[in-house]
């Protein structure tokens, strides 16, 4: 057993704080019947729950990727322990084969040979120009290179059957628990959309288990320019996307909520000032502002190398800086929305009744206005998430996104873009990144729809 | 002409369909007005929408027949139906402000109908439009055609809406609460107009309303609806002299009016059953005073009690003995004593700002010199039409709006200009009950928290157990069960919410309650409950009420003193008996005469006021009322009249007096 040193990155702290906050909010919701009723409606929404299951799978990957450590290097007994310079995460450890089995350069999905011809020395036959065999992909086949399809299909089938059996176990467990709670109710008619969750889970399992099983023998999504497995890159991108989506909201939310409510409630010069600020911010092209801020941040990072003990820490800081900058530039929309709603609320009679009792302004804001704005905040949060994941992709594509050493959907697409121009075209990197991002964003959007429907006061 | 036969309408909720209208049948002849009368949620509007086939998305026509001149409407295709809508039958809606498209001119909106149904375009259409606008009594119709709805007042918008309805020359006009959103003087104009047009054209009219006064003025025959069923159909004379169904009788008895001053109003216990839990027998059984065993089992069949007067009731007795169940709850002669609230020359002006630098270019004189005095245990009614500034007076008294000038003295100490802690102390003495019980309670707080809020903010009761006990006592006082503490406002009906609002205001033991139209959003039977409660509380606690209202029936029933407001000023003030019996100001006289009375003989002489209330930003010179006054003289155009005393308690601002 090798020792290791726990590494806590700033983004890790934030992400686990968010998890804690999420649990806290959950407890709070459970104690507030109207909110609980609204979330119950989310729970009854089949599409919403299916997308929530997909989101949870993504979040699980992201959380596994947020526990970092440095492995101990082999050293003689008695010597001071030395740790590797590379910061790894639990996900890296679980996906060690994916991470370590690098090829030389591009190879197509399920290929057994590289995508580029090379001059190979064959002993006794001189040199040949041919596609060399991959070091890892399809190695177990040996000479039977033409049996890839049969082998892959058979392995996939085996894994699929196993996944199905595993799912049956989950299904039985859920059904038993449900039966105990309400013996007569069928699963289909339960208040919580168990059927949708189980169906999605089945799809995920039947798709993911064979995929990972096969990834032990093949590069299922191919490899990139430096021979790294694309599936591994996608797994790593999930955390980047989640951090961009969540931490940015964390930066933007307090600003938007506080300024929006204050502007709407107090009116007068406060309102004017806040309106001027966000109008000015809005009139500057967002990408330029972000580009300028990111470049300045990069200079600061580059001139202070002593701040970071590993490259991962440096990349992490740049990611957080990006979140911060995105947050600074994206609070205006929600702020405007909340200001408008507060303008409406402050004229309502229960606010006036509170004023007639001499309740202080801040107490009115906290007790009467904020709770009645929560539905807008929640809807905006979930909807912004997908927008931010996409924004990261665009920014990285332009080259002002995350650190080049950090894998993200944006950097993957950016790298793949160069190869679209060659013949034969390298398509798998782009397709895989797009599909993963599409699934993540689609799930987030569908979930946002379900949340919005549930919090719609007309439906209540 | 129109024949509705066993019409059933339902709304889908999830997989179930709930019948909102359950098998109603009626017919309307040419030139006849049939009134559908009922409280909110009884299915009146759904019936109208069903006839026009304009039900909302969740609505379904379950069964039945609707025939116009013998032609069945329900089997028509949607395309064929469009020729009927706006053509052979037209509809007027409740809210003139939202039934016209704000981005189209009046001419475009009338022209649309002419083009679709009469194929009129160009000059011919314009001529027809001018003609229509003239018919509905709009002056200068050529100019109005090119104007947008925002340039018109509420009454004019409703006139335009009527003109649009008439444009297709319909045989049947459906009027869904056509005057509910309008002031009484404007309501009188619109009702007259509808009656005249109907006689001129010989149209059939389906009038949907909850107002017995409007029914008495307009209807030839009346159908009373309850919980999706018709329960009584009668001619106007029969209906007002001999109502037979217990529900109809209860509706009449719940009306506040002058003859019931000092008496407790009869209320209908309980609530309309929900659509999901309709009783199988008579739907009114649970609330009926004459309920019998058979009522709960068998839905009563139609029974003819007189020619053309049918009723669905098992009970065959006579009308209930009036006043047998009533008893006096309040003394009318409360000693005026010394006034504890003195309002002197109160002014609230809102600046009109314009331009880039937001310079003040004028003022809206919402309240322009109001003087009032209220003494303990009495009710002062502040009466006036919408926009006259009566609500602003209430808010300015509470210092929710900073008065521009004047004084509000509470027990000798001045409130205007108070700040911080001293103002908070003063707030204990006055509280407000708002108009809309759905907007006046925070939906995210429990009832207990809502009621305790004032106690906490004003430090009335700091100990939490004592506060909980006080909340429970208050709930009992306003007639709510104590388990309401832990429930949320949305679980309560409108009347119950208003009770919660009253409990909240009473929590800090105020001496004055400002009631801003507390019953105008409620049905008649619920209104009676709230009025009874207010009277009971006044008798028990000796609170004074400033009752802001436009409803004269409530004033007659409840008020000790009355002040009539017009355009930010009080034009007449005095004891209720004096004002109601012998009004001296022409405006008060017109207001009183315009109130539609729920009697057969209630319309002897109605004084018609031309036009509508002018804008308080730009009031007329001299007496504000002179442009509408039937007795205006030269002096009225020049000077605002001074306050003249008619008796020791009765004052008027009019040149005609003194």
């Amino acid at each position: 057993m090798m020792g290791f040193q726990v590494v806590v990155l700033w983004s890790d702290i934030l992400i686990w704080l968010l998890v804690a906050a999420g649990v806290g909010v959950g407890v709070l919701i459970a104690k507030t019947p109207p909110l609980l009723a609204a979330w119950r409606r989310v729970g009854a929404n089949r599409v919403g729950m299916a997308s929530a299951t997909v989101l949870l799978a993504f979040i699980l990957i992201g959380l596994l990727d947020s526990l970092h450590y440095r492995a101990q290097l082999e050293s003689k007994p008695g010597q001071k322990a030395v740790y590797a310079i590379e910061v790894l995460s639990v996900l890296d450890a679980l996906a060690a084969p994916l991470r370590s089995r690098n090829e030389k350069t591009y190879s197509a999905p399920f290929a057994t040979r590289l995508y580029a011809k090379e001059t190979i020395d064959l002993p006794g036959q001189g040199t040949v120009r041919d596609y060399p065999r991959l070091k890892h992909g399809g190695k177990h086949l040996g000479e039977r290179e033409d049996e890839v399809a049969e082998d892959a299909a058979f392995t996939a089938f085996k894994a699929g059957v196993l996944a199905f059996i595993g799912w049956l176990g989950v299904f039985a467990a859920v059904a038993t628990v449900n039966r105990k709670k309400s013996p007569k109710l069928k699963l289909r008619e339960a208040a919580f959309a168990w059927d949708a969750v189980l169906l999605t889970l089945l799809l995920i399992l039947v798709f993911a288990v064979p995929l990972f099983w096969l990834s032990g023998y093949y590069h299922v999504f191919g490899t990139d320019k430096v021979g790294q497995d694309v599936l591994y890159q996608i797994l790593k991108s999930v955390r980047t996307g989640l951090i961009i989506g969540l931490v940015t909201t964390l930066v933007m939310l307090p600003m938007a909520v506080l300024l929006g409510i204050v502007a709407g409630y107090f009116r007068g010069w406060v309102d004017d000032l806040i309106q001027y600020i966000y109008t000015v911010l809005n009139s500057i092209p967002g990408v330029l502002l972000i580009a300028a801020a990111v470049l300045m941040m990069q200079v600061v990072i580059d001139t202070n190398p002593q701040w970071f003990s590993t490259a991962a820490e440096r990349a992490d800081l740049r990611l957080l800086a990006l979140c911060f900058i995105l947050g600074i530039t994206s609070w205006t929309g929600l702020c405007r929305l909340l200001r408008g709603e507060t303008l409406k609320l402050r004229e309502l009679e229960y606010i006036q009744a509170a004023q007639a009792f001499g309740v202080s302004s801040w107490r009115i804001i906290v007790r009467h206005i904020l709770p009645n704005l929560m539905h807008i905040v929640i809807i905006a949060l979930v909807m912004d998430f997908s927008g931010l994941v996409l924004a990261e992709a665009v920014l990285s594509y332009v080259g002002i996104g995350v650190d080049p050493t950090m894998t993200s959907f944006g950097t993957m697409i950016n790298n793949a873009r160069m190869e679209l121009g060659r013949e034969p075209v390298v398509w798998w990197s782009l397709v895989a990144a797009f599909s993963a991002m599409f699934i993540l964003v689609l799930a987030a959007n569908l979930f946002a729809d379900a949340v919005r429907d549930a919090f719609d006061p007309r439906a209540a | 002409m129109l024949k509705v036969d066993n019409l059933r309408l339902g709304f889908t909720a999830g997989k179930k369909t709930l019948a909102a209208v359950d098998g109603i049948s009626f017919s309307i002849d040419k030139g006849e007005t049939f009134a559908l009368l009922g409280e909110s949620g009884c299915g009146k509007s759904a019936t109208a929408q069903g006839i026009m086939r304009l039900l909302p998305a969740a609505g379904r026509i379950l069964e039945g027949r609707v025939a116009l001149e013998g032609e069945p409407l329900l089997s028509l295709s949607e395309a064929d139906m469009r020729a009927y809508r706006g053509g052979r039958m037209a509809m007027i809606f409740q809210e003139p402000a939202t039934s016209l498209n704000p981005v189209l001119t009046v001419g475009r909106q009338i022209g649309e109908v002419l083009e679709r149904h009469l194929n009129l375009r160009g000059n011919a259409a314009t001529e027809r439009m001018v003609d229509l606008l003239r018919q509905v009594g709009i002056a200068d119709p050529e100019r109005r055609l090119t104007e947008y709805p925002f340039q018109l007042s509420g009454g004019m918008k409703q006139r335009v809406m009527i003109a649009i309805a008439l444009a297709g020359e319909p045989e049947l006009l459906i009027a869904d609460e056509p005057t509910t959103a309008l002031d009484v003087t404007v309501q009188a104009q619109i009702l007259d107009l509808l009656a005249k047009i109907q006689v001129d054209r010989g149209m059939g009219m389906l009038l949907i309303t909850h107002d017995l006064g409007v029914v008495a003025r307009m209807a030839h025959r009346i159908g009373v609806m309850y919980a999706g069923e018709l329960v009584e159909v009668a001619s106007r004379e029969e209906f007002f002299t001999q109502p037979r169904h217990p529900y109809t009788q209860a509706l009449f008895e719940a009306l506040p009016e002058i003859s019931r001053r000092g008496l407790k109003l009869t209320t209908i216990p309980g609530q309309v059953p929900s659509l999901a839990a309709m009783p199988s027998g008579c739907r009114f059984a649970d609330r009926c005073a004459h309920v019998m065993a058979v009522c709960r089992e068998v839905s009563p069949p139609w029974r003819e009690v007189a020619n053309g007067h049918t009723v669905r009731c098992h009970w065959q007795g006579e009308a209930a003995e009036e006043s047998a169940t009533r008893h006096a709850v309040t003394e009318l002669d409360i000693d005026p004593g010394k006034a504890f609230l003195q309002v002197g020359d109160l002014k609230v002006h809102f600046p009109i700002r314009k331009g880039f630098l937001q310079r003040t270019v004028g003022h809206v004189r919402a309240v322009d010199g109001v003087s009032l005095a209220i003494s303990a245990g009495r009710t002062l009614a502040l009466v006036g039409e919408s926009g006259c500034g009566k609500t602003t007076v209430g808010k300015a008294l509470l210092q929710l709006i900073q008065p521009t000038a004047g004084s509000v003295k509470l027990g000798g100490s001045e409130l205007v200009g108070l700040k911080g802690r001293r103002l908070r102390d003063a707030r204990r003495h006055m509280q407000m009950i708002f108009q809309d019980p759905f907007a006046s309670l925070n939906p995210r707080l429990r009832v207990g928290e809502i009621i305790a809020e004032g106690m906490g903010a004003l430090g009335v009761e700091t100990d939490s157990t004592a506060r909980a006990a006080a909340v429970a006592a208050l709930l009992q006082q306003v007639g709510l069960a104590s388990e309401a503490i832990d429930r949320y406002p949305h679980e309560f009906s409108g009347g119950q919410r208003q009770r919660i609002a009253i409990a909240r205001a009473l929590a800090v033991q105020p001496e004055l309650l400002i009631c801003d139209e507390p019953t105008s959003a409620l049905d008649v039977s619920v209104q009676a409950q709230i009025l009874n409660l207010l009277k009971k509380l006044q008798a028990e606690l000796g609170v004074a009420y400033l009752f802001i209202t436009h409803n004269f029936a409530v004033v007659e029933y409840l008020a000790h003193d009355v002040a009539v407001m017009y355009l930010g000023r009080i034009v007449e003030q005095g004891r209720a008996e004096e004002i109601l019996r012998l009004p001296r100001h022409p405006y008060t006289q017109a207001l009183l005469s315009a109130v539609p009375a729920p009697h057969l003989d209630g319309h002897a002489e109605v004084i018609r006021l031309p036009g509508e209330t002018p804008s308080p930003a730009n009031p007329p010179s001299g007496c504000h009322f002179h442009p509408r006054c039937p007795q205006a003289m030269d002096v009225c155009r020049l000077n605002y009249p001074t306050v003249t005393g008619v008796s020791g308690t009765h004052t008027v601002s009019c040149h005609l007096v003194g």
Side-chain angles (χ1 to χ4, degrees):
Chain A
M1 179 66 206
M2 278 222 296
F4 60 91
Q5 178 190 32
V6 175
V7 177
V8 182
L9 299 177
W10 281 107
S11 55
D12 292 344
I13 298 178
L14 288 176
I15 228 166
W16 287 106
L17 273 180
L18 268 174
V19 171
V23 172
V25 169
V27 172
L28 206 73
I29 286 170
K31 283 184 182 165
T32 324
L35 283 179
L36 191 64
W39 282 106
R40 283 231 171 89
R41 281 198 293 278
V42 180
N45 186 323
R46 292 208 165 80
V47 178
M49 278 299 99
S51 49
T53 315
V54 175
L55 275 182
L56 268 181
F58 274 100
I59 289 173
L60 192 71
I61 295 173
L63 288 181
L64 283 178
D65 203 9
S66 299
L67 295 165
H68 286 99
Y69 69 94
R70 282 162 77 180
Q72 192 175 13
L73 292 179
E74 280 178 52
S75 54
K76 294 191 184 87
Q79 228 173 354
K80 195 173 165 239
V82 180
Y83 296 98
I85 195 75
E86 200 180 9
V87 175
L88 296 176
S89 71
V90 173
L91 182 77
D92 292 328
L94 290 177
L98 281 179
R99 182 171 59 90
S100 55
R101 298 189 317 162
N102 289 348
E103 304 295 342
K104 200 167 175 194
T105 181
Y106 291 114
S107 68
F110 291 105
T112 55
R113 287 171 178 269
L114 275 185
Y115 203 55
K117 272 189 180 168
E118 271 182 12
T119 312
I120 311 167
D121 270 324
L122 285 180
Q125 291 169 334
T127 55
V128 199
R129 256 192 94 65
D130 196 6
Y131 299 104
R133 272 302 290 269
L134 293 179
K135 276 187 277 175
H136 306 285
K139 197 170 67 175
H140 66 291
L141 290 175
E143 290 302 309
R144 302 174 289 125
E145 268 186 67
D146 46 350
E147 289 172 22
V148 170
E150 291 93 330
D151 179 63
F154 181 61
T155 319
F157 179 72
K158 270 195 302 187
V161 168
L162 239 117
F164 187 70
I165 291 169
W167 178 80
L168 278 181
V170 177
F171 178 83
V174 170
T176 325
V177 171
N178 252 22
R179 186 66 46 87
K180 259 184 199 157
K181 265 200 207 155
S182 45
K184 292 215 176 117
L185 223 59
K186 280 191 187 147
L187 213 52
R188 206 149 23 92
E189 294 146 3
F192 185 82
W194 277 115
D195 48 352
V197 171
L198 287 173
L199 197 67
T200 321
L201 193 68
L202 176 68
L203 283 178
I204 293 178
L205 283 177
V206 164
F207 180 73
V209 171
L211 193 74
F212 283 100
W213 199 295
L214 282 172
S215 70
Y217 304 105
Y218 301 97
H219 299 292
V220 282
F221 289 159
T223 55
D224 75 344
K225 192 171 188 172
V226 291
Q228 205 171 35
D229 194 288
V230 173
L231 177 62
Y232 173 69
Q233 289 185 333
I234 286 187
L235 291 179
K236 294 294 279 183
S237 300
V238 169
R239 174 177 187 264
T240 320
L242 287 177
I243 287 193
I244 294 268
L246 294 175
V247 176
T248 307
T249 351
L250 206 67
V251 174
M252 148 194 120
L253 195 64
M255 212 154 33
V257 171
L258 185 75
L259 293 182
I261 293 183
V262 164
Y265 186 75
F266 290 106
R267 308 288 309 274
W269 65 269
V270 181
D271 187 21
D272 288 346
L273 184 75
I274 292 170
Q275 277 194 72
Y276 279 128
I277 293 175
Y278 70 58
T279 315
V280 168
L281 256 181
N282 260 6
S283 56
I284 303 170
V287 176
L288 291 190
L289 196 67
I290 294 168
V294 167
L295 292 176
M296 273 155 54
M297 190 65 203
Q298 190 57 45
V299 172
V300 174
I301 290 174
D302 287 346
T303 48
N304 294 291
Q306 73 278 11
W307 290 354
F308 317 102
S309 53
T310 57
E313 286 179 23
R314 207 185 60 189
D316 186 62
L317 190 72
R318 173 151 168 179
L319 175 67
L320 284 187
L322 183 69
C323 290
F324 192 74
I325 294 155
L326 273 174
I328 296 274
T329 50
S330 64
W331 58 274
T332 53
L334 181 58
C335 182
R336 195 182 295 222
L337 211 64
L338 291 179
R339 173 183 170 267
E341 191 68 13
T342 311
L343 281 179
K344 193 182 92 187
L345 283 179
R346 76 190 286 273
E347 299 301 329
L348 279 187
E349 289 171 345
Y350 60 83
I351 306 280
Q352 292 184 4
Q355 286 166 344
F357 282 125
V359 179
S360 72
S361 295
W362 286 108
R363 202 169 154 72
I364 288 179
I365 286 178
V366 171
R367 212 171 133 92
H368 293 289
I369 292 184
L370 193 60
N372 286 296
L373 291 176
M374 263 351 249
H375 64 287
I376 297 185
V377 174
I378 290 172
I379 294 162
L381 278 192
V382 192
M383 298 210 90
D384 279 357
F385 172 79
S386 46
L388 288 166
V389 173
L390 294 176
E392 186 276 328
V394 171
L395 291 176
S396 294
Y397 179 83
V398 186
I400 51 174
V402 295
D403 194 270
T405 61
M406 183 169 250
T407 328
S408 78
F409 292 125
T411 48
M412 282 179 73
I413 292 167
N414 189 27
N415 292 336
R417 144 186 88 119
M418 308 290 187
E419 307 309 329
L420 287 177
R422 65 184 263 173
E423 176 61 35
V425 70
V426 176
W427 49 269
W428 47 87
S429 225
L430 195 71
V431 168
F434 262 138
S435 320
M437 197 164 71
F438 171 76
I439 293 172
L440 174 63
V441 171
L442 182 69
N445 275 341
L446 289 178
F447 186 62
D449 277 353
V451 172
R452 193 186 47 205
D453 288 349
F455 279 83
D456 188 347
R458 279 169 298 178
Chain B
M1 181 186 64
L2 177 82
K3 219 173 144 42
V4 176
D5 194 17
N6 194 27
L7 182 67
R8 287 187 72 217
L9 303 170
F11 291 94
T12 54
K15 282 172 191 160
K16 281 177 286 187
T17 304
L18 302 171
V21 174
D22 205 357
I24 71 167
S25 309
F26 60 87
S27 61
I28 303 176
D29 285 337
K30 272 197 166 63
E32 183 190 47
T33 301
F34 183 78
L36 267 186
L37 178 81
E39 295 185 292
S40 54
C42 71
K44 323 184 281 290
S45 290
T47 307
Q49 289 165 343
I51 292 170
M52 293 288 273
R53 287 193 28 207
L54 286 173
L55 285 171
R60 302 275 181 279
I61 296 175
L62 302 174
E63 62 173 284
R65 276 187 305 281
V66 177
L68 187 67
E69 298 280 18
E71 293 166 56
L73 295 182
L74 298 186
S75 53
L76 286 178
S77 72
E78 189 57 30
D80 293 336
M81 191 64 207
R82 284 210 291 274
Y84 279 80
R85 290 188 201 125
R88 298 187 57 185
M89 45 201 226
M91 194 158 174
I92 308 171
F93 301 91
Q94 175 172 354
E95 187 60 73
T98 53
S99 48
L100 293 174
N101 186 338
V103 296
L104 295 182
T105 59
V106 169
R108 284 282 298 279
Q109 301 192 46
I110 306 178
E112 200 175 15
V113 183
L114 292 176
E115 196 178 319
R116 170 69 181 82
H117 293 290
L118 302 177
N119 213 10
L120 278 178
R121 283 183 185 80
N123 281 340
T126 314
E127 264 172 48
R128 186 92 188 84
M129 286 182 228
V130 170
D131 196 39
L132 278 168
L133 285 187
R134 201 164 279 138
Q135 274 185 41
V136 296
I138 287 184
D140 199 2
E142 289 85 358
R143 185 168 60 89
R144 294 295 182 194
L145 277 184
T146 59
E147 291 192 341
Y148 289 89
F150 75 90
Q151 291 165 298
L152 309 176
S153 65
M156 293 242 268
K157 280 186 203 147
Q158 198 63 308
R159 284 171 192 269
V160 169
M161 195 61 218
I162 295 173
I164 293 175
L166 294 180
E169 296 181 348
E171 297 153 41
L172 173 73
L173 184 67
I174 300 178
D176 188 356
E177 306 260 7
T179 56
T180 308
L182 303 173
D183 282 320
V184 273
T185 55
V186 183
Q187 165 172 296
Q189 295 169 9
I190 298 288
L191 292 181
D192 281 352
L193 173 67
L194 282 174
K196 179 174 150 288
I197 286 170
Q198 190 195 20
V199 172
D200 290 352
R201 299 189 169 223
M203 280 186 307
M205 183 150 94
L206 175 62
L207 178 73
I208 290 168
T209 184
H210 68 277
D211 189 334
L212 283 166
V214 171
V215 170
R217 188 172 232 158
M218 299 290 292
H220 300 121
R221 281 195 309 131
I222 293 130
V224 181
M225 278 191 85
Y226 181 78
E229 288 179 336
L230 268 177
V231 293
E232 182 166 10
V233 178
S235 69
R236 177 167 171 266
E237 289 72 23
E238 286 271 336
F239 181 78
F240 283 99
T241 50
Q242 282 192 312
R244 297 303 285 268
H245 197 279
Y247 176 62
T248 319
Q249 293 169 357
L251 277 185
F252 274 107
E253 283 165 29
L255 285 177
E257 54 180 30
I258 197 150
S259 61
R260 291 174 184 158
R261 274 175 73 95
L263 299 175
K264 196 170 164 184
L265 291 174
T266 311
T267 58
I268 308 177
Q271 289 167 37
V272 182
S274 79
L275 290 184
M278 276 297 167
S280 56
C282 174
R283 296 184 171 183
F284 189 59
D286 285 339
R287 307 175 69 189
C288 183
H290 308 289
V291 63
M292 300 175 287
V294 64
C295 299
R296 299 194 190 277
E297 280 149 28
V298 184
S299 185
W302 283 105
R303 179 163 63 84
E304 183 144 0
V305 287
N307 189 23
H309 185 175
T310 52
V311 63
R312 266 185 99 166
C313 184
H314 292 298
W315 179 66
Q316 311 222 353
E318 281 303 306
E321 278 296 304
E322 274 251 3
S323 75
T325 52
R326 293 187 178 157
H327 54 91
V329 288
T330 37
E331 277 299 317
L332 282 177
D333 303 314
I334 291 170
D335 176 31
K338 201 170 167 304
F340 76 95
L341 182 82
Q342 289 272 7
V343 181
D345 204 25
L346 186 74
K347 288 184 184 175
V348 182
H349 293 181
F350 297 109
I352 307 170
R353 296 179 197 279
K354 276 212 176 120
F356 178 67
L357 290 174
Q358 300 282 301
R359 280 188 309 130
T360 305
V361 295
H363 284 98
V364 175
R365 297 184 169 85
V367 179
D368 201 15
V370 164
S371 301
L372 294 169
I374 303 172
S375 37
R378 286 178 74 88
T379 303
L380 169 66
L382 192 57
V383 195
E385 293 181 291
S386 56
C388 75
K390 49 191 195 305
T391 299
T392 314
V393 170
K395 290 184 179 165
L397 289 187
L398 275 175
Q399 310 296 312
L400 285 179
I401 300 174
Q402 189 70 38
T404 315
S407 80
V408 178
K409 278 200 178 126
L410 187 83
S413 64
E414 178 64 50
L415 292 189
V416 176
L418 274 191
K419 288 233 162 19
R421 179 149 192 90
R422 304 210 15 230
L423 178 61
R424 198 170 302 165
D425 291 341
R427 286 195 192 283
R428 262 198 71 166
H429 304 283
M430 285 191 282
Q431 277 307 317
M432 189 148 179
I433 299 168
F434 295 89
Q435 175 174 2
D436 183 358
F438 291 87
S440 66
L441 304 176
N442 185 344
R444 307 258 180 222
L445 291 183
R446 286 169 217 264
V447 170
E449 293 170 302
I450 289 171
I451 296 176
E453 174 158 54
M455 294 192 230
L458 297 179
V460 174
E461 200 73 69
T462 42
D463 178 41
S464 67
T465 49
R467 197 184 289 178
V471 170
L474 280 165
L475 281 176
Q476 201 195 356
Q477 203 162 29
V478 297
L480 286 175
S482 58
E483 75 250 20
I485 284 189
D486 286 324
R487 289 162 70 191
Y488 285 84
H490 70 87
E491 298 170 59
F492 295 91
S493 68
Q496 288 173 322
R497 284 173 187 228
Q498 203 60 294
R499 286 169 191 267
I500 297 170
I502 292 172
R504 170 177 63 185
L506 288 177
V508 295
Q509 295 146 21
E511 285 114 59
L512 173 67
L513 269 185
I514 296 169
C515 309
D516 186 3
E517 312 240 13
T519 60
S520 68
L522 305 175
D523 280 321
V524 178
S525 63
V526 183
Q527 165 177 293
Q529 296 171 7
I530 296 296
L531 291 179
N532 281 342
L533 173 66
L534 287 173
K535 278 211 146 180
K536 183 187 104 175
L537 291 172
Q538 189 166 49
E540 285 173 12
L541 308 172
V543 248
Y545 294 133
L546 175 64
F547 210 90
I548 297 168
T549 184
H550 67 272
N551 184 341
F552 268 98
V554 175
V555 174
E556 286 170 350
Y557 172 69
L558 201 68
H560 300 110
D561 305 287
V562 178
V564 182
M565 258 186 107
Y566 187 75
L567 220 57
R569 295 186 183 178
I570 287 178
V571 295
E572 186 163 11
Q573 193 171 3
R575 294 291 194 87
E577 308 84 64
E578 294 168 331
I579 303 266
L580 297 173
R581 293 218 186 96
L582 273 176
R584 300 299 296 270
H585 198 283
Y587 178 62
T588 318
Q589 291 164 356
L591 265 187
L592 280 172
S593 77
V595 178
H599 308 293
L600 280 182
D601 50 354
H603 316 290
E605 25 170 339
V606 181
I607 303 169
R608 295 277 173 262
L609 286 187
E612 288 173 46
T613 317
S615 155
N618 191 16
S621 63
C623 175
H624 290 171
F625 187 58
H626 83 255
R628 301 177 72 193
C629 184
Q631 304 170 57
M633 305 173 292
D634 284 339
V635 62
C636 301
R637 292 181 187 91
L638 298 174
N639 303 320
Y640 194 85
T642 50
V643 178
T644 318
V646 179
S647 72
T649 50
H650 188 176
T651 55
V652 188
S653 297
C654 183
H655 290 298
L656 288 171
V657 183

